[in-house]
Amino acid sequence: MANLFDCFFVLFGKGEVFVNGKTFPLGQCTTEILDLDDEVLVELDRRIENLMPAVKILLQEKTDSAARSAQERLCAVWDLIFSFPVYRDLNMDIWTANNLFPLLLSDPEKWAEVQEVGTEGHAMFQKLMEGLEYFPESLRTFRGQVTGMLELYFEPLARRSADTYAEAFAQYYGEMKSVEGIFGQGPFEQSFPTENQFVPMVHSAEKGKVILAEQAQFSYLTHFLYTDFYRGLMEGNAPRRCHNCGTYFLLTAGYNTCYCNNLAPGETARTCRKVGAHRKEAQERVTATPVQKEYAKAYNRLKARKQRGKITVNEWNTAVVKAQDFKDQAEHGELSDEELRRQLAAL
């Protein structure tokens, strides 16, 4: 099935989305859009601004040369848009997109309809041009809303799950509803029109497995992205900004880390996750209290004994629980530093 810029199809399964047969966990497409370089959108602005005057000239002159000029500029826009996440994986009707204006001009009936206000052809042409003109800003709006939500409401979460995401979104939603209309904008809503049908399909990654999928048609990329983002939250998936390199990565259900698994900046082998773990450990050593330092020494001693086979796993677990109890007592002033050392040494 060929897709268009303003009319494309994806399939949703259980916890995943299928884009032209390629499988993504829910939230992954959103994550990739959040990681787009701002300069890419600036360049897209420039190409679209270069296109629009040529389209006006085409509508006025109605010549082959004007159609070729406008098409050349439109192709430059498509080259960038079709390299974006989602579009780059869809089966796009590239030939029609790259020949749109000459094709319209060569068909007198279609060309007349494009120019006649009130016709379906005119409405479709206007929708395409307006969609292109607003496209970069729509992505900026989406990225701004989602990053703001993630940084202010999701980043402080101690646990990561569908339930905690729902609580964080409820807080965000309530606060947004409380200020709607204050700045002259309409009511705050998170609803996006789609056309849906349910179909059987063979799973693209699991050979021979048939699943029930939801086929959804979208007219705007951002409508798909909001759907992908919110469905991901319902599954316990959410984008998070890496605390080391600053790029976004997808946290999947039940997993909680603040570092991505990409190669860390300035490193040749270590990932951000490995670099971050060492950095966190070093920072904790610097900021640790005397009680925490004594506990860490006892913990490492017990761990070494377990690894050498001197104590069993059950003995290790029991000793660690006792060490934690001693640490808690010392932090509440119930044990002196000397008594803490004596109790930990006896384990």
Side-chain angles (χ1 to χ4, degrees), residues 50-59 66 69-71 73:
N50 192 40
L51 165 67
M52 292 306 168
V55 174
K56 291 180 180 178
I57 292 172
L58 170 60
L59 292 172
S69 176
Q71 186 62 56
R73 300 181 190 196

Side-chain angles (χ1 to χ4, degrees), residues 277-330:
H278 288 297
R279 183 176 297 164
K280 181 179 180 182
E281 182 181 352
Q283 184 177 14
E284 287 176 349
R285 284 200 300 267
V286 172
T287 60
T289 65
V291 170
Q292 290 169 338
K293 290 178 180 178
E294 290 297 332
Y295 170 78
K297 285 193 292 186
Y299 178 90
N300 290 333
R301 173 171 56 81
L302 291 167
K303 183 178 179 181
R305 293 186 67 196
K306 177 182 68 100
Q307 290 174 335
R308 292 197 301 269
K310 299 293 185 181
I311 58 175
T312 66
V313 172
N314 286 337
E315 289 171 332
W316 144 262
N317 289 331
T318 300
V320 168
V321 169
K322 287 182 179 180
Q324 289 172 339
D325 288 340
F326 292 144
K327 178 174 76 73
D328 291 342
Q329 291 176 42

